Amino acid sequence: MTRILSHLFTGISLLACLALLALGAVPAAHSQESPAVTLTEISSDPFTVPPGQHATEVEPHVLANGVTQVAAFQTGRIAPGGATAIGWATSTDGGNTWAHGFLPGLTTGNGGGPYNAASDPAVAYDAKRGVWMIASLPISNTSTTVAVVVSRSTDGGFTWDNPVNVGPKVNSSDKNWIVCDSYSTSPFYGNCYVEWDNPDTGDGILMSTSSDGGLTWGPATGTANHSFGIGGQPLVQPNGTVVVPIETNGISSFISTNGGTTWSAPVTVSNIQSHLDAGGIRSGPLPSAAVDGAGTVYVVWEDCRFRTKCSTNDLVFSTSTDGTHWSAVARIPIDATTSTVDHFIPGIGIDPATSGATAHVAVHYYFYPKSNCTQSTCQLYVGYISSHTAGSTWSHPVKLAGPMKLTWLPNSQNGLMVGDYIATAFSNGVPHGVFAVAAAKSGSTFNEAMYTADGLTVAEAGPQLSSAGDKPLHDLSDPIERERPEKGVVPPSKRSAKRSSK
């Protein structure tokens, strides 16, 4: 596929900037924007074929290996589910320039593919064989499909093969993720693992393993107790143990210590207390997870336990060295617990060259300055925050994009959409996120594309923020409180239904 370098610029276009500035300012906590940070558009939607909502790109993931970064995302969002195509963008110079295109042999909208749509792209890299992979969910309007497909690139993420089938044929599958064991000292070096769930069985959790660079995949295997969940993100530790944080009735995790032959029953990381984000935006407490250089796993999600009456969501996190025992939930102190700011859809990344008490952690996320808003008044921003002390202290947050109006976002089955997840990756010590940024529509045509921010750091100088003294104000694991949740809180029994769509 011909390399197409995306337009590189130092911000959003002048007209878009004027539109964004006209909507107002962010709270003081997000006023620490660095003048050195600029936005780069890495891809946009060129398609016009129905039923996609064009021009839209949503729900990115990005992974780095050295100076190479590969991102994947939905292009041309289709309201009932999935997208016209799965886009990719690749940089081999640490994010300075990007090539981009669309996966072949997958969707009819992109030409040459058998499926009506595709969804939920996630990126992996097999260091043993030098293979990049993008896993996605195929969607057919007329027949059953395979559960998950994997597209492979053997030339550094610039050309992609037609997809390989993973798992059995099913009526539906959801929220897949992929990871490869790239530790040369691991007994399972070169294994790759795909996770997904089956909505037809109540979100039954399934895993499949490949030991040949994604060319073939093993049988779909459940957890030891055939558990249910959604949004699992498998991670590999240096000893080869695979840890999968996932949303069940709370945040949970399960593991494999034998290269994916068997999987444990999930253990509880934490219950969830989640505020329903305003304005009809599609969001919720799906986990985002990452692993440091020594194998400590971090999981972050949106949660309102530190807020009076659960009025807004913070981003909170927990860590584990073995995937079984987890630390107490801590708040990322983006704002004071008395603020009106609502935080959601986080994407965490950790510099793999760091670990322990000096692990470098970075999180991109979306936020509203005022949680109590409506579809016409909500102002949507992209934010960034980092820690050079493994989450014990945090730098001041940075505003990257916004404000955006919700009416600029495409429709989806469960709300207006930027994505169910975003991502952060470190390229040679430098953090990069990939996220959707929207500007005003032109008639019925949207203007939502994929961006990354250049110039971000993990700041070690200047004042640092801490949440060490914060205490949860309520606990939805308490049966009495669970039966009488505050207005806007999503009870555990409602979460699976709310989250289960592509």
Side-chain angles (χ1 to χ4, degrees):
M1 181 177 294
T2 302
R3 300 186 184 191
I4 308 171
L5 292 181
S6 69
H7 177 54
L8 182 62
F9 58 99
T10 59
I12 306 175
S13 66
L14 177 60
L15 290 177
C17 283
L18 291 174
L20 298 179
L21 291 172
L23 285 176
V26 293
H30 280 85
S31 64
Q32 304 290 326
E33 183 173 6
S34 167
V37 175
T38 59
L39 291 185
T40 299
E41 181 185 298
I42 66 172
S43 178
S44 60
D45 174 11
F47 300 108
T48 58
V49 294
Q53 300 167 89
H54 305 293
T56 63
E57 291 189 323
V58 300
E59 201 160 85
H61 181 230
V62 64
L63 190 73
N65 178 59
V67 295
T68 299
Q69 300 173 62
V70 176
F73 33 83
Q74 297 184 41
T75 298
R77 175 67 192 183
I78 298 170
T84 302
I86 297 299
W88 59 266
T90 299
S91 172
T92 57
D93 57 9
N96 291 318
T97 58
W98 294 79
H100 65 93
F102 306 94
L103 295 182
L106 182 57
T107 59
T108 57
N110 188 29
Y115 300 109
N116 299 100
S119 188
D120 294 9
V123 185
Y125 179 67
D126 176 6
K128 183 176 182 178
R129 301 169 184 87
V131 178
W132 287 92
M133 303 180 202
I134 298 175
S136 61
L137 298 178
I139 301 172
S140 174
N141 297 338
T142 57
S143 64
T144 58
T145 67
V146 294
V148 185
V149 295
V150 169
S151 302
R152 303 170 71 253
S153 172
T154 57
D155 69 348
F158 292 103
T159 59
W160 297 85
D161 298 335
N162 287 343
V164 172
N165 294 342
V166 178
K169 287 191 173 183
V170 293
N171 292 322
S172 182
S173 56
D174 204 3
K175 289 290 169 287
N176 65 285
W177 208 260
I178 185 171
V179 72
C180 294
D181 185 337
S182 290
Y183 296 102
S184 59
T185 56
S186 165
F188 311 110
Y189 177 48
N191 274 11
C192 297
Y193 307 94
V194 166
E195 187 275 345
W196 73 97
D197 67 89
N198 184 354
D200 287 345
T201 61
D203 294 332
I205 299 168
L206 294 168
M207 301 289 305
S208 181
T209 302
S210 172
S211 57
D212 60 5
L215 288 170
T216 60
W217 293 84
T221 305
T223 64
N225 62 342
H226 303 288
S227 190
F228 308 96
I230 190 168
Q233 293 195 1
L235 300 164
V236 181
Q237 298 179 301
N239 64 1
T241 295
V242 186
V243 180
V244 190
I246 191 167
E247 181 187 343
T248 54
N249 281 332
I251 300 296
S252 302
S253 71
F254 60 95
I255 67 173
S256 175
T257 59
N258 55 16
T261 301
T262 59
W263 299 88
S264 72
V267 299
T268 298
V269 176
S270 171
N271 62 311
I272 297 172
Q273 293 115 82
S274 177
H275 172 79
L276 182 63
D277 302 307
I281 194 168
R282 176 166 163 157
S283 64
L286 284 175
S288 176
V291 61
D292 76 6
T296 296
V297 174
Y298 291 62
V299 59
V300 60
W301 68 97
E302 62 183 72
D303 191 282
C304 61
R305 74 186 65 199
F306 294 97
R307 300 288 182 140
T308 301
K309 296 184 178 180
C310 264
S311 57
T312 66
N313 286 316
D314 290 298
L315 302 182
V316 302
F317 71 101
S318 178
T319 66
S320 175
T321 58
D322 60 7
T324 300
H325 303 90
W326 291 83
S327 68
V329 175
R331 189 178 77 94
I332 300 177
I334 302 170
D335 308 281
T337 56
T338 55
S339 80
T340 63
V341 182
D342 197 13
H343 318 81
F344 45 91
I345 316 179
I348 186 174
I350 303 176
D351 185 347
T354 65
S355 62
T358 57
H360 287 191
V361 183
V363 181
H364 289 78
Y365 56 93
Y366 287 90
F367 70 95
Y368 293 148
K370 294 183 179 180
S371 176
N372 186 16
C373 59
T374 66
Q375 188 173 117
S376 61
T377 63
C378 288
Q379 298 181 10
L380 181 65
Y381 292 81
V382 180
Y384 167 84
I385 194 168
S386 65
S387 170
H388 69 281
T389 57
S392 63
T393 60
W394 296 81
S395 64
H396 280 267
V398 178
K399 175 180 69 67
L400 300 179
M404 294 172 268
K405 290 185 176 180
L406 296 187
T407 54
W408 298 349
L409 306 182
N411 293 311
S412 72
Q413 185 176 357
N414 285 328
L416 302 169
M417 194 168 187
V418 290
D420 287 341
Y421 50 80
I422 55 176
T424 304
F426 278 80
S427 179
N428 279 12
V430 178
H432 292 267
V434 176
F435 43 85
V437 176
K441 292 164 60 176
S442 175
S444 60
T445 302
F446 291 86
N447 186 4
E448 183 183 41
M450 281 295 130
Y451 287 82
T452 189
D454 301 307
L456 294 174
T457 63
V458 175
E460 299 185 18
Q464 299 290 303
L465 305 173
S466 173
S467 61
D470 293 347
K471 303 295 183 183
L473 300 180
H474 38 76
D475 184 354
L476 290 188
S477 64
D478 181 334
I480 296 177
E481 189 168 354
R482 187 171 64 243
E483 290 173 6
R484 296 184 298 180
E486 298 292 343
K487 182 179 179 181
V489 177
V490 183
S493 61
K494 301 293 185 182
R495 282 193 197 105
S496 180
K498 181 178 184 292
R499 303 302 302 156
S500 294
S501 71
K502 302 177 185 68

